[in-house]
Amino acid sequence: MSYTDHIRANEQLIGSQQGRWTGINPESVARMQLQNRFKTGLDIARYTARIMREDMAAYDADSSQYTQSLGCWHGFIAQQKMISIKKHFGTTKRKYLYLSGWMVAALRSEFGPLPDQSMHEKTSVPALIEELYTFLRQADARELDLLFSGIDKARAAGDTAKEQELLAQVENFQTHVVPIIADIDAGFGNAEATYLLAKKMIEAGACALQIENQVSDEKQCGHQDGKVTVPHEDFLAKIRACRYAFLELGVEDGIIVTRTDSLGAGLTKQIAVSNEPGDLGDQYNSFLDCEEIDPTTARNGDVIINRNGKLLRPKRLPSNLFQFREGTGEDRCVLDSITSLQNGADLLWIETEKPHVEQIAGMMDRVREVIPNAKLVYNNSPSFNWTLNFRQQVYDAMVKEGLDVSEYDRAQLMDAKYDDTELGIAADKRIRTFQADGAKRAGIFHHLITLPTYHTAALSTDNLAKEYFGEAGMLGYVLGVQRQELRQGIACVKHQNMSGSDLGDAHKEYFAGEAALKAGGVNNTMNQFS
């Protein structure tokens, strides 16, 4: 419904109350309705799922139409990100949110900072999703309130042209509510636990769930050692659990992102069940590091498997985990990816140890031989040393081309002295085009940075502390923060407005009319930023 349609519908409703609602203004109601477009998290999940499906189709037609997101650990961070995107680009199209399990563990657990090992409360994940969307909905309400205030001022001044311009902006308003890809880790338990948590996350607004093939109670950060994977059938049960949750809640086009950690995971907790040669369990077991034995060399407590008539003893560690053969990681990633897509997954996530387009593409080429439209969500991780990685890639390319690299020390390429060199500039160019290159060559539909706002918060706080507590004193804050907010048009320089003060004033006027006691009068110091 348009703004005008809302007003007319409210006029009819109020008129039907035989004068009992004469104190209710139909236009004020219409404004509040437009400011609260999404009534529930499920409304958000259904709306954003459609957006993601449309974006996936657009990417299939044109790989330059890839999508991006930044990880956000607080609603305010997500809100300011989307406000900034609208300010700089005029649209939120193809811009998402990412919810990182790492940041939930490190920043939002009641236990305090925790490693990324699924030790934080599972309820903190849907709670953060709800918080993110609460702040995005408030960003909608705030921006619309500014438009409504402008309409009132234009009417008071008799400026019809300005009023019509602002009304058109209301009619064409683009919401700050965008899709979120939410990390459900390894499901926080068995398939039933996964289903229960998935429901809570979807009810909070998540249209896309990212789940990984690690053992839930042995889960590790994707960029740390000691990762343990599960047999495919165990993982497929959790994929189905997520799909059941989506379908039960009426989000029929919900998205499941399946992450394989097999490239860096050398261990498994279980030997897969196999009923016949070549089945999925047999393929999983074929990667185990085994030695052939006969009954006479079997040891007490040995686990023994039969393969092609031979008795094999998988290598079992003191931890009771079984080891995969070295060099099988890529093959396992490819099998994981194909199997997931064939059993209900929509997007893939292959966790790698470095950002290298051709390494990613090599695996995706093999996946796409079986499933041509396979697409990746890729972690542009802060765990990578991007500068060193890409300088080493350029260095290796120069060596391969027979160019002189005598002025460079490959092991020390992070040194600032290389910043303005031919190698350093070439590496930065590769970093700049990495996302576009990966989208075109490696099937990467969505690029995300998992922990960026964790790092930016630390960096900006360090810079402010250094200046404010040093010789600059208050000038450290004014130069580094407030003056920059004013010059760059940062919305939260008017922090009272951002927190909802003006929204509250509008409501007070709706409710009490001229008797309203408003905060935004002439003595409000925020007027210094008008």
Side-chain angles (χ1 to χ4, degrees), residues 249-268:
L249 296 171
V251 187
E252 296 179 2
D253 47 4
I255 289 93
I256 299 174
V257 183
T258 51
R259 181 177 120 184
T260 171
D261 280 286
S262 290
L263 196 62
L267 304 169
T268 182

Side-chain angles (χ1 to χ4, degrees), residues 96 136 145 184 351 359 375 380 447 486 499 501 512 517:
Y96 300 171
L136 294 188
D145 181 66
I184 196 171
E351 195 77 320
Q359 179 199 29
K375 291 179 282 295
N380 293 215
H447 284 278
L486 288 163
S499 70
S501 179
L517 182 63

